[in-house]
Amino acid sequence: MCYGFIHAVISRIPGPALALDDVKLNIVTQSFEFGYMPENPPLFEWLLLVAQSFTGPTLLSFLIIKYGLLTLTGVFVFKTADLLFNDKKWAALTVGSLIFYFQLTWNYHQVFTHSAVLITAIAFFWFSFLSLLREPSLPRFVHLGLAFGIGCLAKYSFFASAPLAFGAALSIRKYRERILTSHGIISLIIALLIVAPHLFWLLTENADVAETATKRLQGTSAPYFARISSGIPSALWGIASFFVILIPIGGYVLGGRLTKSDVQFDPIITLCWRAALAGAGALMFAVIVLGMDRMAERYAIPFLFPAIFVVAATMRQVSAQHLGSEQTTMPVVSKLKVAILSLAVLGIGLRTVEAFIAGAPFCSKCRQWIPYEPMAEMIVENGYQDAILIGMDDHISGNLRRLFPNNTVLSASLVHYTPPELLALEKSMEPRKSVCILIWAPDVADVPSFVSDDLDPSDIISIEAPWRHPLGKAPWRATRWHLARLDQHQRLSQLMCRL
């Protein structure tokens, strides 16, 4: 929890602006829906709605969800490791070892939204699944159904976790007998009940989700073999990047002890090992079958997650076999603690430097530094604080909603989402009382010609907003904000404002 709190504070240093995927989610959470976008299910948005009922649509709401989920992930990893090892010391060390995985120690703080809830859902699923295999019971089948349903609402890539887990269990006789029972139907029914509202949305509102997801995964429209020629190395890097920090750390912690040890896994750790190996193969298989030209590092998480427990089990066995046998060297546990603490301090230090050194070399667009407050002041000073606000880009619109939480906010690059109040006005046929305002900035997103041709240059209001620096240094860039009122004859207003 302290670790997450520190990273949350660092995330706030650049200022209150939203960036990356946060801005899009801040737009669509103007309403509760059973689905929002074709690429992801809605669990993160639902959690965000709950947080924003207390904090408003601010950066704080995202930090609460993100680091609350990280804390929950630690809880589930601890409970799973304690279940596997019956050793709370090693359960705690397993939680600490999460920092050895690149996606969790760096990417998590930089870009994750839906992937954050995916990681927690996977940790919850593996705890539920392994608890069931240890001691089957009706409540544990109910628990597994709950975990599976939640995982399906977290991110579609979660669907990789369950087949890998069940496939590995079926390969071991004692576990095969424990899961192939009639109680499994209960798990399935509970999962279907949880997923049903979103599934209905998929079938009625977003039936092309499979086609959309496939095109997104394939990336370019290049020929199949051209795509996989770049996709296969990308997948290999996705697998390697999961362990890229662990490899040197493992060398430091274990030294030559691993080659001198006879590591024999408990059957349930063997299951985790087989699931992780199958996951690595499944990543390569997905590239070939789908013709993917790129495999993002975060895609590896649901495929390789059980390897976390295999690594912890290996370190624990090596530690036990060599305890006290080498008086002149630091034991495995001590080295492991040093490695965890050192990497945590290093990560916090790097992120702090990144937060205080605005601009290059840490960022190019540097969207977290964009000064939105002068733009908000311009809107209020011209009497448009109650208007329907259209941003030319998701970053503008997401931050408009942060600054004007009671307004209807639209994004010109997210035309498929229309807030319910606009739909209600359209159906009622009542005269519209609100005016519609377009806001843009050339260095964020400029207006296309079909929009600019409709605007009267004399009606455009502008303001120069210098970028602030956290250390009080002179501004190094400036954003020029523009505002224009739309009328019913303009094509953008007809498309988005329903004028």
Side-chain angles (χ1 to χ4, degrees):
M1 185 177 292
C2 292
Y3 175 78
F5 177 77
I6 292 170
H7 277 284
V9 171
I10 295 171
S11 298
R12 182 60 178 78
I13 290 173
L18 297 172
L20 301 173
D21 286 350
D22 294 358
V23 294
K24 187 177 295 186
L25 301 184
N26 215 35
I27 299 167
V28 300
T29 49
Q30 292 177 79
S31 61
F32 175 82
E33 309 289 343
F34 289 135
Y36 293 93
M37 291 174 284
E39 58 265 32
N40 289 304
L43 182 55
F44 190 92
E45 287 88 339
W46 291 350
L47 294 173
L48 197 58
L49 279 166
V50 174
Q52 291 185 347
S53 67
F54 298 98
T55 67
T58 62
L59 176 61
L60 178 60
S61 65
F62 287 87
L63 296 178
I64 288 172
I65 296 303
K66 193 170 186 175
Y67 291 103
L69 288 169
L70 185 61
T71 301
L72 268 179
T73 299
V75 169
F76 289 127
V77 169
F78 178 88
K79 291 174 72 68
T80 306
D82 192 29
L83 173 79
L84 296 175
F85 307 139
N86 193 27
D87 185 335
K88 287 184 168 47
K89 177 186 73 175
W90 271 95
L93 288 170
T94 304
V95 175
S97 73
L98 293 176
I99 205 168
F100 299 154
Y101 301 92
F102 176 71
Q103 286 85 345
L104 298 174
T105 191
W106 187 256
N107 279 1
Y108 191 98
H109 310 293
Q110 301 296 101
V111 297
F112 282 3
T113 49
H114 294 90
S115 293
V117 75
L118 169 68
I119 292 168
T120 305
I122 292 171
F124 180 33
F125 170 78
W126 273 97
F127 169 64
S128 303
F129 185 67
L130 296 178
S131 296
L132 174 65
L133 294 183
R134 276 291 197 205
E135 191 177 342
S137 66
L138 181 57
R140 285 187 170 86
F141 275 100
V142 172
H143 200 244
L144 181 63
L146 179 64
F148 187 74
I150 289 173
C152 293
L153 292 176
K155 200 165 184 175
Y156 295 129
S157 57
F158 173 82
F159 286 102
S161 295
L164 292 171
F166 284 106
L170 290 174
S171 71
I172 301 174
R173 181 176 178 179
K174 64 182 291 189
Y175 298 133
R176 181 165 62 244
E177 294 171 350
R178 292 179 183 181
I179 61 173
L180 294 179
T181 71
S182 57
H183 286 162
I185 301 297
I186 296 173
S187 298
L188 184 61
I189 291 173
I190 292 172
L192 285 174
L193 288 173
I194 293 171
V195 176
H198 179 61
L199 183 60
F200 178 77
W201 178 83
L202 283 175
L203 296 174
T204 58
E205 303 292 333
N206 198 22
D208 63 340
V209 65
E211 181 182 356
T212 303
T214 301
K215 288 180 179 178
R216 180 183 173 89
L217 289 171
Q218 287 178 346
T220 67
S221 57
Y224 171 79
F225 286 105
R227 293 200 306 271
I228 65 170
S229 65
S230 59
I232 290 175
S234 178
L236 289 172
W237 167 245
I239 296 168
S241 69
F242 191 81
F243 303 103
V244 69
I245 297 176
L246 177 69
I247 293 171
I249 293 294
Y252 162 71
V253 171
L254 298 178
R257 295 181 179 93
L258 184 59
T259 58
K260 301 173 186 177
S261 303
D262 181 21
V263 178
Q264 294 183 340
F265 290 143
D266 180 277
I268 204 161
I269 300 296
T270 300
L271 182 151
C272 294
W273 175 234
R274 291 179 181 178
L277 282 178
L283 279 168
M284 302 300 298
F285 183 73
V287 169
I288 295 169
V289 170
L290 297 175
M292 297 171 64
D293 71 342
R294 176 178 170 273
M295 176 74 71
E297 292 95 341
R298 66 183 181 276
Y299 294 171
I301 296 171
F303 293 85
L304 302 179
F305 190 85
I308 292 169
F309 304 111
V310 179
V311 170
T314 302
M315 289 186 174
R316 181 171 178 265
Q317 281 203 33
V318 172
S319 175
Q321 290 178 18
H322 291 268
L323 187 63
S325 63
E326 301 172 67
Q327 300 298 327
T328 60
T329 60
M330 189 184 296
V332 169
V333 172
S334 298
K335 282 192 171 185
L336 191 55
K337 290 177 181 177
V338 169
I340 291 169
L341 182 60
S342 300
L343 202 56
V345 171
L346 178 62
I348 289 169
L350 287 174
R351 289 204 67 225
T352 303
V353 170
E354 178 190 37
F356 277 106
I357 301 180
F362 292 101
C363 63
S364 54
K365 294 183 178 179
C366 303
R367 296 189 185 277
Q368 68 271 34
W369 298 99
I370 295 173
Y372 291 98
E373 282 67 21
M375 171 263 287
E377 293 170 5
M378 177 177 66
I379 292 172
V380 173
E381 288 171 359
N382 287 277
Y384 295 132
Q385 62 268 29
D386 297 321
I388 296 171
L389 306 174
I390 301 180
M392 207 56 234
D393 174 83
D394 291 342
H395 281 82
I396 299 173
S397 299
N399 282 283
L400 279 169
R401 182 163 182 253
R402 172 177 63 85
L403 294 162
F404 297 93
N406 298 321
N407 291 53
T408 297
V409 178
L410 306 170
S411 172
S413 58
L414 199 66
V415 294
H416 75 273
Y417 175 77
T418 303
E421 55 266 29
L422 272 188
L423 294 175
L425 279 172
E426 186 177 30
K427 291 177 181 178
S428 69
M429 302 300 289
E430 294 179 3
R432 189 178 304 284
K433 298 177 182 178
S434 298
V435 296
C436 211
I437 303 300
L438 175 66
I439 302 100
W440 74 96
D443 66 329
V444 181
D446 209 350
V447 290
S449 58
F450 85 90
V451 175
S452 59
D453 291 346
D454 271 355
L455 300 176
D456 185 345
S458 62
D459 291 337
I460 298 174
I461 304 168
S462 303
I463 188 173
E464 191 88 1
W467 288 33
R468 71 172 188 85
H469 195 286
L471 297 178
K473 296 180 181 179
W476 77 102
R477 285 171 64 173
T479 293
R480 188 163 185 80
W481 292 107
H482 302 286
L483 177 155
R485 176 172 174 164
L486 301 178
D487 63 40
Q488 61 182 347
H489 304 296
Q490 291 162 327
R491 281 174 284 180
L492 186 63
S493 66
Q494 293 170 2
L495 175 67
M496 301 195 67
C497 298
R498 309 296 203 269
L499 294 177

